[in-house]
Amino acid sequence: MPGPHDTHDLTEADPLSAASLDALVADALAAFAAASGVAALKEARLAHAGERSPIALANRAIGRLTPAERKDAGRRIGMARGAINGALAERQAIVEAAELERALSEESVDVTLPVALAPEGAIHPITGLIELMSDVFVAMGWEVAEGPEAEAEWLNFDALNIGADHPARGESDTLFVAPVGSHRVLRTHTSPVQLRSLLDRELPVYVVCPGKVYRADEFDATHVPVFHQIEGLCVDKGITMAHLKGTLDHLARTMFGDVRTRFRPNYFPFTEPSAEMDLECFVCHGASVGNPDAPCRTCRSEGWIEWGGCGIVNPRVLRAAGIDTDVYSGFAFGMGIERTLMFRNNAADMRDMVEGDVRFSRSLKGEAR
Ligand code: PHE
């Protein structure tokens, strides 16, 4: 180790000699060439061209030379530094280009590769259809009304003129809410919302009431114990059966396109007269009627499909809501949403509608809304 008493023997280990400088340059060039990345080259630059590098130290040694010696030594150092810096710049360009090239190829995206798709949901077709049907009425200025699913027995039956002895009130059809004597039922239709709407609002009333209804039914391809209806009620001055037919024909055309309809006399305690609205069979258009060679499964060779009940609101119902039946009259209807989906979107099995398999919803995406 050099100590304080060492004499500087510039001839023996002269850092400024041509040989020493050549060795320094060779070392530096070798180090630069060996540096394969930007980070390695930075280290090599600090070691061989930095402030504490041998060449920088040699440069400082010039100060110890006589003015005469300085000229030659300065020229040699200058050349050595030029060689080192030139090699460094050259290597720097190569290493940076290589690094850029690698980054570009590593980060490139192959747009043809298959991607892992996040599973996409879909609105349930029943929900979609409820919105679609409600929109038909909202567009005509009607309101959307709702009522509870656990309903007062009085609103579900009595106020709708359904007597205590009516078969629909039996346990075989209706689900009663415990305890016995609560006088609550799971509503068997959306018609109690007719009463609720009349009691809540000023006349005239134009409402549609979509929602769930419950019946003590089997669960199979054509029955479910919980299904959906959309109720309609209009009460105004001078309402007639013509308004009912015009309104429901409009609904049918928006739902099914250019379809023929038929109103067939029926009975409901809360409408008088009452009718069942039928749609001409989409499949056979009546061709199967009386033609055993070409039976139609969709309409059971009847030529018509039952869509829903309707009629002129029974004055008893209006009176139950305190309405003057000499001034006001109305019409009402109730359509099954599941049935509508079956006909409209060819959904043959009602079980698909309750199982909650997103593939069913996706298959009707954009169709039922
Ligand atoms: N509530 C009846 C049913 O569930 C349908 C209906 C509604 C009929 C309104 C007439 C008027 O079958």
Side-chain angles (χ1 to χ4, degrees), residues 91-134:
R91 187 68 190 153
Q92 185 90 24
I94 291 169
V95 161
E96 278 174 5
E99 209 126 290
L100 180 65
E101 185 70 24
R102 188 166 61 237
L104 286 176
S105 72
E106 275 172 10
E107 289 165 20
S108 70
V109 176
D110 182 350
V111 293
T112 66
L113 285 176
V115 284
L117 289 174
E120 201 187 338
I123 225 162
H124 195 279
I126 294 293
T127 310
L129 201 50
I130 285 176
E131 285 175 12
L132 188 66
M133 292 175 89
S134 302

Coordinates of all heavy atoms in Angstrom, one line a residue, residues 91-134:
R91 N -21.4 2.2 -27.6 CA -22.0 1.1 -26.9 C -23.4 1.5 -26.3 O -24.3 0.7 -26.4 CB -21.1 0.6 -25.7 CG -21.5 -0.6 -25.1 CD -21.4 -1.9 -26.0 NE -22.0 -3.0 -25.4 CZ -22.5 -4.0 -26.1 NH1 -22.5 -4.0 -27.4 NH2 -23.1 -5.1 -25.5
Q92 N -23.4 2.7 -25.8 CA -24.7 3.2 -25.3 C -25.8 3.1 -26.3 O -26.9 2.6 -26.0 CB -24.5 4.7 -24.8 CG -25.7 5.3 -24.1 CD -25.6 5.1 -22.6 OE1 -24.5 4.9 -22.1 NE2 -26.7 5.1 -21.9
A93 N -25.5 3.5 -27.5 CA -26.5 3.5 -28.6 C -27.0 2.1 -28.9 O -28.2 1.8 -29.0 CB -26.0 4.2 -29.8
I94 N -26.0 1.2 -28.9 CA -26.3 -0.2 -29.2 C -27.2 -0.8 -28.1 O -28.3 -1.4 -28.4 CB -25.1 -1.0 -29.4 CG1 -24.4 -0.6 -30.7 CG2 -25.4 -2.5 -29.5 CD1 -22.9 -1.1 -30.9
V95 N -26.7 -0.6 -26.9 CA -27.5 -1.2 -25.8 C -28.9 -0.6 -25.6 O -29.8 -1.4 -25.4 CB -26.6 -1.0 -24.5 CG1 -27.5 -1.2 -23.2 CG2 -25.5 -1.9 -24.4
E96 N -29.0 0.7 -25.8 CA -30.3 1.3 -25.7 C -31.3 0.8 -26.8 O -32.4 0.5 -26.6 CB -30.3 2.8 -25.7 CG -29.9 3.3 -24.4 CD -29.7 4.9 -24.4 OE1 -29.9 5.5 -25.5 OE2 -29.3 5.4 -23.3
A97 N -30.7 0.6 -28.0 CA -31.5 0.2 -29.1 C -32.0 -1.3 -28.9 O -33.2 -1.6 -29.1 CB -30.8 0.2 -30.4
A98 N -31.1 -2.1 -28.3 CA -31.4 -3.5 -28.0 C -32.5 -3.5 -27.0 O -33.5 -4.3 -27.1 CB -30.2 -4.3 -27.6
E99 N -32.4 -2.7 -26.0 CA -33.3 -2.7 -24.9 C -34.7 -2.3 -25.4 O -35.7 -2.8 -25.0 CB -32.9 -1.8 -23.8 CG -33.4 -2.2 -22.4 CD -32.2 -2.4 -21.4 OE1 -31.4 -3.3 -21.6 OE2 -32.2 -1.6 -20.5
L100 N -34.7 -1.3 -26.2 CA -36.0 -0.8 -26.8 C -36.7 -1.9 -27.6 O -37.9 -2.2 -27.5 CB -35.7 0.5 -27.7 CG -37.0 1.1 -28.3 CD1 -37.9 1.6 -27.3 CD2 -36.6 2.2 -29.3
E101 N -35.8 -2.5 -28.4 CA -36.3 -3.6 -29.3 C -37.0 -4.7 -28.4 O -38.0 -5.2 -28.7 CB -35.1 -4.2 -30.0 CG -35.4 -5.2 -31.1 CD -36.2 -4.6 -32.3 OE1 -36.0 -3.4 -32.5 OE2 -36.9 -5.4 -32.9
R102 N -36.3 -5.1 -27.3 CA -36.8 -6.1 -26.5 C -38.1 -5.7 -25.8 O -39.1 -6.4 -25.8 CB -35.8 -6.5 -25.4 CG -36.2 -7.7 -24.6 CD -35.1 -8.3 -23.7 NE -34.6 -7.3 -22.8 CZ -33.4 -6.9 -22.6 NH1 -32.4 -7.4 -23.5 NH2 -33.0 -6.1 -21.7
A103 N -38.1 -4.5 -25.3 CA -39.4 -4.0 -24.7 C -40.5 -4.0 -25.7 O -41.6 -4.4 -25.4 CB -39.2 -2.6 -24.2
L104 N -40.2 -3.6 -26.9 CA -41.3 -3.5 -27.9 C -41.8 -4.9 -28.2 O -43.0 -5.1 -28.4 CB -40.8 -2.9 -29.2 CG -40.6 -1.4 -29.2 CD1 -40.1 -0.8 -30.5 CD2 -42.0 -0.7 -28.9
S105 N -40.9 -5.9 -28.3 CA -41.4 -7.2 -28.7 C -42.1 -7.9 -27.5 O -43.0 -8.6 -27.6 CB -40.3 -8.1 -29.3 OG -39.4 -8.4 -28.2
E106 N -41.5 -7.6 -26.3 CA -42.2 -8.3 -25.1 C -43.5 -7.7 -24.8 O -44.4 -8.3 -24.3 CB -41.2 -8.1 -23.9 CG -40.2 -9.2 -23.8 CD -39.2 -8.9 -22.7 OE1 -39.4 -7.9 -21.9 OE2 -38.2 -9.6 -22.7
E107 N -43.6 -6.4 -25.1 CA -44.9 -5.7 -24.7 C -45.9 -5.7 -25.8 O -47.0 -5.2 -25.6 CB -44.6 -4.3 -24.2 CG -43.9 -4.2 -22.9 CD -43.3 -2.8 -22.6 OE1 -43.8 -1.9 -23.2 OE2 -42.4 -2.8 -21.8
S108 N -45.6 -6.3 -26.9 CA -46.5 -6.2 -28.0 C -47.7 -7.1 -27.7 O -47.6 -8.1 -27.0 CB -45.9 -6.7 -29.3 OG -45.6 -8.0 -29.3
V109 N -48.9 -6.8 -28.2 CA -50.1 -7.6 -27.9 C -50.5 -8.3 -29.2 O -50.6 -7.7 -30.2 CB -51.2 -6.6 -27.5 CG1 -52.5 -7.3 -27.3 CG2 -50.8 -5.9 -26.2
D110 N -50.7 -9.6 -29.0 CA -51.2 -10.4 -30.2 C -52.8 -10.3 -30.1 O -53.4 -11.0 -29.3 CB -50.7 -11.8 -30.1 CG -51.2 -12.6 -31.3 OD1 -52.0 -12.1 -32.0 OD2 -50.7 -13.7 -31.4
V111 N -53.3 -9.5 -30.9 CA -54.8 -9.3 -30.8 C -55.6 -10.5 -31.3 O -56.8 -10.6 -31.2 CB -55.2 -8.0 -31.6 CG1 -54.7 -6.8 -31.0 CG2 -54.8 -8.1 -33.1
T112 N -54.9 -11.5 -31.9 CA -55.6 -12.7 -32.4 C -55.7 -13.7 -31.3 O -56.4 -14.7 -31.5 CB -54.9 -13.3 -33.6 OG1 -53.6 -13.8 -33.2 CG2 -54.7 -12.2 -34.7
L113 N -55.0 -13.5 -30.2 CA -55.1 -14.6 -29.1 C -56.4 -14.6 -28.5 O -57.1 -13.5 -28.3 CB -54.0 -14.3 -28.0 CG -52.6 -14.6 -28.4 CD1 -51.7 -14.1 -27.2 CD2 -52.4 -16.1 -28.6
P114 N -56.9 -15.8 -28.1 CA -58.2 -15.8 -27.4 C -58.1 -15.1 -26.0 O -57.1 -15.2 -25.4 CB -58.5 -17.3 -27.3 CG -57.3 -18.0 -27.4 CD -56.3 -17.1 -28.3
V115 N -59.1 -14.4 -25.6 CA -59.1 -13.7 -24.3 C -60.1 -14.4 -23.4 O -61.0 -15.0 -23.8 CB -59.5 -12.2 -24.5 CG1 -58.3 -11.4 -25.1 CG2 -60.7 -12.0 -25.3
A116 N -59.8 -14.3 -22.1 CA -60.7 -14.8 -21.1 C -61.8 -13.8 -20.9 O -61.6 -12.7 -20.3 CB -59.9 -15.0 -19.8
L117 N -63.0 -14.1 -21.3 CA -64.1 -13.1 -21.2 C -64.7 -13.2 -19.9 O -64.9 -14.3 -19.3 CB -65.1 -13.5 -22.3 CG -64.8 -13.2 -23.7 CD1 -65.9 -13.8 -24.6 CD2 -64.6 -11.8 -24.0
A118 N -64.9 -12.0 -19.3 CA -65.7 -12.0 -18.0 C -67.1 -12.4 -18.4 O -67.7 -11.9 -19.3 CB -65.6 -10.6 -17.4
P119 N -67.7 -13.3 -17.6 CA -69.1 -13.7 -17.9 C -70.0 -12.5 -17.9 O -70.0 -11.7 -17.0 CB -69.4 -14.7 -16.8 CG -68.4 -14.6 -15.8 CD -67.2 -13.9 -16.4
E120 N -70.8 -12.4 -19.0 CA -71.6 -11.2 -19.1 C -73.0 -11.6 -18.6 O -73.6 -12.6 -19.0 CB -71.7 -10.8 -20.6 CG -72.1 -9.4 -20.8 CD -72.3 -9.1 -22.2 OE1 -71.7 -9.8 -23.1 OE2 -73.0 -8.1 -22.6
G121 N -73.7 -10.8 -17.8 CA -75.0 -11.0 -17.4 C -76.0 -10.6 -18.4 O -75.7 -10.1 -19.5
A122 N -77.3 -10.7 -18.0 CA -78.4 -10.3 -18.9 C -79.6 -10.1 -18.1 O -79.8 -10.8 -17.1 CB -78.7 -11.3 -20.0
I123 N -80.3 -9.1 -18.4 CA -81.6 -8.8 -17.7 C -82.5 -10.0 -17.9 O -82.5 -10.6 -18.9 CB -82.2 -7.5 -18.1 CG1 -82.6 -6.7 -16.9 CG2 -83.3 -7.7 -19.1 CD1 -82.8 -5.2 -17.2
H124 N -83.2 -10.4 -16.8 CA -84.1 -11.6 -17.0 C -85.2 -11.2 -18.0 O -85.8 -10.1 -17.9 CB -84.7 -12.0 -15.6 CG -85.3 -13.3 -15.7 ND1 -86.6 -13.6 -16.2 CD2 -84.8 -14.6 -15.3 CE1 -86.8 -14.9 -16.1 NE2 -85.8 -15.5 -15.6
P125 N -85.5 -12.2 -18.9 CA -86.5 -11.9 -19.9 C -87.9 -11.4 -19.3 O -88.6 -10.6 -19.9 CB -86.7 -13.2 -20.7 CG -85.4 -13.9 -20.4 CD -84.9 -13.5 -19.1
I126 N -88.2 -12.0 -18.1 CA -89.5 -11.5 -17.5 C -89.4 -10.1 -17.1 O -90.4 -9.3 -17.4 CB -89.8 -12.4 -16.3 CG1 -90.1 -13.9 -16.7 CG2 -91.0 -11.9 -15.5 CD1 -91.4 -14.1 -17.5
T127 N -88.3 -9.7 -16.5 CA -88.1 -8.3 -16.2 C -88.1 -7.4 -17.4 O -88.8 -6.4 -17.5 CB -86.8 -8.1 -15.5 OG1 -86.7 -9.1 -14.4 CG2 -86.6 -6.7 -14.9
G128 N -87.4 -7.9 -18.5 CA -87.4 -7.1 -19.7 C -88.7 -6.9 -20.3 O -89.1 -5.8 -20.8
L129 N -89.5 -8.0 -20.3 CA -90.9 -7.9 -20.9 C -91.8 -7.0 -20.1 O -92.6 -6.3 -20.6 CB -91.4 -9.3 -21.0 CG -92.6 -9.6 -22.0 CD1 -92.2 -9.0 -23.4 CD2 -92.9 -11.1 -22.1
I130 N -91.7 -7.1 -18.7 CA -92.4 -6.2 -17.9 C -92.1 -4.7 -18.3 O -93.0 -3.9 -18.4 CB -92.2 -6.4 -16.4 CG1 -92.9 -7.7 -16.0 CG2 -92.6 -5.3 -15.5 CD1 -92.6 -8.2 -14.6
E131 N -90.8 -4.4 -18.4 CA -90.5 -3.1 -18.8 C -91.0 -2.7 -20.1 O -91.5 -1.6 -20.3 CB -88.9 -2.9 -18.8 CG -88.4 -2.9 -17.4 CD -86.9 -2.9 -17.3 OE1 -86.2 -2.7 -18.3 OE2 -86.3 -3.1 -16.2
L132 N -90.9 -3.6 -21.1 CA -91.4 -3.3 -22.4 C -92.9 -3.1 -22.5 O -93.3 -2.1 -23.1 CB -91.0 -4.5 -23.3 CG -91.2 -4.4 -24.8 CD1 -90.3 -3.4 -25.4 CD2 -91.0 -5.8 -25.5
M133 N -93.6 -3.9 -21.8 CA -95.1 -3.8 -21.8 C -95.5 -2.5 -21.0 O -96.4 -1.7 -21.4 CB -95.8 -5.0 -21.2 CG -95.6 -6.2 -22.1 SD -96.3 -7.7 -21.3 CE -97.9 -7.7 -21.9
S134 N -94.8 -2.2 -19.9 CA -95.1 -1.0 -19.1 C -94.8 0.2 -20.0 O -95.6 1.2 -20.0 CB -94.3 -0.9 -17.9 OG -94.5 -2.1 -17.1

